[in-house]
Amino acid sequence: MKIAFIVDPLEGLKPYKDSSIAMMRAAQARGHQVFAILRKDLRLRDGIVSARAVPLTLAADNHDWHTAGEPGDFALSAFDAVLMRQDPPFDFEYITATWLLERAKAQGAKIWNDPRAVRDHSEKIAITEFSQFTAPTLVARATEDIDAFIDEFGDVILKPLDGMGGSGIFRVRRDDPNRNSIIEMLGQLGSQTIMAQRYIPAISAGDKRILIIGGEVMPYSLARIPKAGESRGNLAAGGRGVAQALSPRDREIAETLAPVLWARGLLIVGLDVIGDYLTEVNVTSPTCMVEIEAQTGCAVATTVIKVLEQVQLTLSLSAN
């Protein structure tokens, strides 16, 4: 197969931990051709979506991890699979990319995750579809609504709807002297909607990333344990990643969501679970594959490629 990955600039990727690179390596190991595409190189001309794509040869060396071949212009439908792996922010340019990818899909391209599903699943707000698994949660813009929520629960987490890696997340108590300033800053003086969630003390044991690949729940999560004095477990915020088997509650949440999300074309999903509560549904570029494999031997990246192979086989059989 010819597999293209839409990624951030290659020189900025971190091969020792990057899940996209892990998938590229797994694809090459299984005999497939790997290409890289930058989002800025997507184009729509005369009804056809194409891109400048660079063929890559992957190496195990984390310093010189790839060799780039001669770039060429390809219709996205020329690839057997295209994986959109650009990191957020989910801004207007990201939305534009989903529109282009949706047109490419209409032309026969196999796009993962499905661009419409990515656009429709806000990684924060998506949890509200599964409220049986969430802690008390508010999505609001009005300051009085946010204040009332803090007064009701006394200890809450406030977060922007477009953040990643733990950026912009605050823990606010009822008597916090900075409470008004935090609400004003996050909500930009009442001009932006934010999310508030009751604080979950189990964050001390880790913010668990559970991966779902092609509707299959991976058996291990990566618990991202906050450093001392922190209420955020994100690795980007200094958290420590510890792989662990799923708890019965983890599995209940993941197995409930897995078939629903797979039916919507979401090949790779990262659920965030704190204690017994679902806190995010990540669909843009879920990570933690490398850490889980290193600690448990569970080859999540290879599972992704195997699912793509099975999809391609199914399509080939149905065409014959």
Side-chain angles (χ1 to χ4, degrees), residues 13-17 21 25 59-66 290:
L13 301 183
K14 299 175 181 177
Y16 67 93
K17 61 177 285 187
I21 294 176
R25 286 169 167 163
D61 188 333
N62 282 334
H63 295 286
D64 299 313
W65 62 272
H66 75 282
V290 175

Side-chain angles (χ1 to χ4, degrees), residues 6-22:
I6 302 174
V7 290
D8 292 299
L10 299 181
E11 62 273 14
L13 301 183
K14 299 175 181 177
Y16 67 93
K17 61 177 285 187
D18 191 278
S19 292
S20 296
I21 294 176

